[in-house]
Amino acid sequence: IIPAIRKRFPGFQRSVERMRILLQEDALLLDGIAWRAACDVELDPDTWSLEQLDGLPISIKRRLVAAALRARNIEVTFDRADAVLELVSKRQGALSLDQYWDVRADKQRLRFQFAGDAEETDKKNLLSQSGQTELEIPGLTIVTPLSLSVQIDEVSGGLTPAVKHGRQASKHFPPAHADEAFVDLSKANLPLVVRGRQPGDIIRPFGMDRPVKLKKFLHTHKTAATINPLRAIVIADSQEVLWIPGVGISEKLRVKATPTHHLRFMHLDSDL
């Protein structure tokens, strides 16, 4: 029917394009407002303050719910988002979002709960109880209770294979979401440890001079590594978080000339 519409309304295509631009601009504005609101609403990656959520317009609430669903690889539908908001209004009840995630509400909080099998739940509990494990530098560190390992190797001569062969480093260095990274440990406050996230954690995001709360950083870097409780792992020194495998590294580890070490993180469970 488009050719017929264009014939009858010559300005149709231009009007649709203008409408698209206006809607896109509005969407960007609302997304920005929702992102700022999330910093107040989210008490931790899986818990929301209903007091903070109450004062928001419905359009922002829907965006927050949709973002929470997408971050957990759950299909976003109007009915599913509406069901979550109904829990919010009732201040009670629970809802199964899919085979992995539930959401529960009480008078003060909305909580997303990972609903894995008993073995996975046990590992999640181990993560919160295991404290921290010091890393061998260089060497391989295996954290058996959590089924993970961290391999740290010195980079011979301070040169990566890419530099040795004259290729651009940007084509060689792993992307931020990879489970490996080339880093410069000269500014790190050794020893390094592997542990779960903790309240008050900070990180100096790559490309920034000042540290920010890890919670705020993760708001803008939501991946399986930040949402799945079995992947909620950080590498830190005595002062701050330096690397969240699968998410990104700290400015403190930036390689300005040549890297000193290669870090590789691995879950030993094949289904992760």
Side-chain angles (χ1 to χ4, degrees):
I1 65 172
I2 297 299
I5 293 176
R6 286 174 175 167
K7 184 176 181 180
R8 184 168 181 178
F9 304 100
F12 164 76
Q13 190 167 354
R14 184 174 60 179
S15 297
V16 169
E17 176 61 14
R18 287 176 176 173
M19 178 64 73
R20 184 194 67 79
I21 292 173
L22 292 174
L23 292 174
Q24 184 180 47
E25 291 171 347
D26 290 348
L28 289 173
L29 172 63
L30 291 172
D31 287 345
I33 295 173
W35 181 87
R36 289 189 292 272
C39 295
D40 296 324
V41 169
E42 296 187 14
L43 302 175
D44 62 47
D46 292 327
T47 308
W48 290 7
S49 165
L50 294 186
E51 180 182 0
Q52 294 291 336
L53 191 65
D54 279 343
L56 299 175
I58 186 64
S59 61
I60 302 302
K61 291 179 182 178
R62 290 191 184 282
R63 275 174 161 76
L64 291 176
V65 171
L69 295 177
R70 281 193 294 269
R72 292 164 174 81
N73 295 319
I74 301 170
E75 181 184 6
V76 179
T77 67
F78 181 89
D79 289 341
R80 183 172 281 129
D82 205 44
V84 174
L85 291 176
E86 186 175 354
L87 286 181
V88 171
S89 64
K90 289 182 176 179
R91 290 293 203 279
Q92 63 178 359
L95 175 68
S96 178
L97 298 173
D98 66 3
Q99 60 180 325
Y100 299 112
W101 287 94
D102 297 335
V103 60
R104 298 178 181 275
D106 57 32
K107 292 183 178 180
Q108 297 181 326
R109 298 180 178 182
L110 184 75
R111 184 180 296 275
F112 293 89
Q113 295 183 329
F114 188 67
D117 58 30
E119 182 180 355
E120 290 173 330
T121 302
D122 288 343
K123 287 176 184 175
K124 181 183 177 182
N125 292 335
L126 278 170
L127 177 61
S128 62
Q129 298 169 5
S130 62
Q132 59 187 32
T133 300
E134 186 173 329
L135 297 174
E136 294 286 339
I137 305 176
L140 173 68
T141 304
I142 298 177
V143 186
T144 304
L146 299 181
S147 297
L148 63 86
S149 68
V150 180
Q151 176 76 44
I152 302 181
D153 295 312
E154 291 181 344
V155 178
S156 179
L159 294 177
T160 68
V163 175
K164 289 179 179 179
H165 291 86
R167 301 196 304 273
Q168 293 182 358
S170 61
K171 293 182 180 180
H172 174 76
F173 278 61
H177 60 266
D179 278 343
E180 62 172 326
F182 281 99
V183 300
D184 183 349
L185 293 183
S186 62
K187 294 183 179 179
N189 295 283
L190 303 180
L192 301 186
V193 298
V194 56
R195 59 171 173 79
R197 304 202 308 265
Q198 299 176 352
D201 271 341
I202 61 171
I203 184 172
R204 201 177 314 169
F206 195 81
M208 294 179 61
D209 294 329
R210 297 181 179 180
V212 300
K213 290 182 178 180
L214 183 64
K215 171 185 172 182
K216 183 175 181 180
F217 174 77
L218 294 177
H219 280 314
T220 58
H221 296 76
K222 291 199 179 224
T223 70
T226 65
I227 294 302
N228 188 332
L230 307 185
R231 294 181 59 95
I233 304 295
V234 303
I235 308 298
D237 64 9
S238 60
Q239 296 180 335
E240 59 196 284
V241 171
L242 300 179
W243 184 37
I244 309 103
V247 184
I249 68 171
S250 165
E251 174 68 17
K252 200 171 183 178
L253 299 186
R254 176 193 283 270
V255 176
K256 295 184 178 179
T258 54
T260 63
H261 293 81
H262 176 232
L263 278 57
R264 186 165 68 246
F265 178 88
M266 181 181 297
H267 283 281
L268 303 181
D269 286 343
S270 59
D271 60 346
L272 293 177

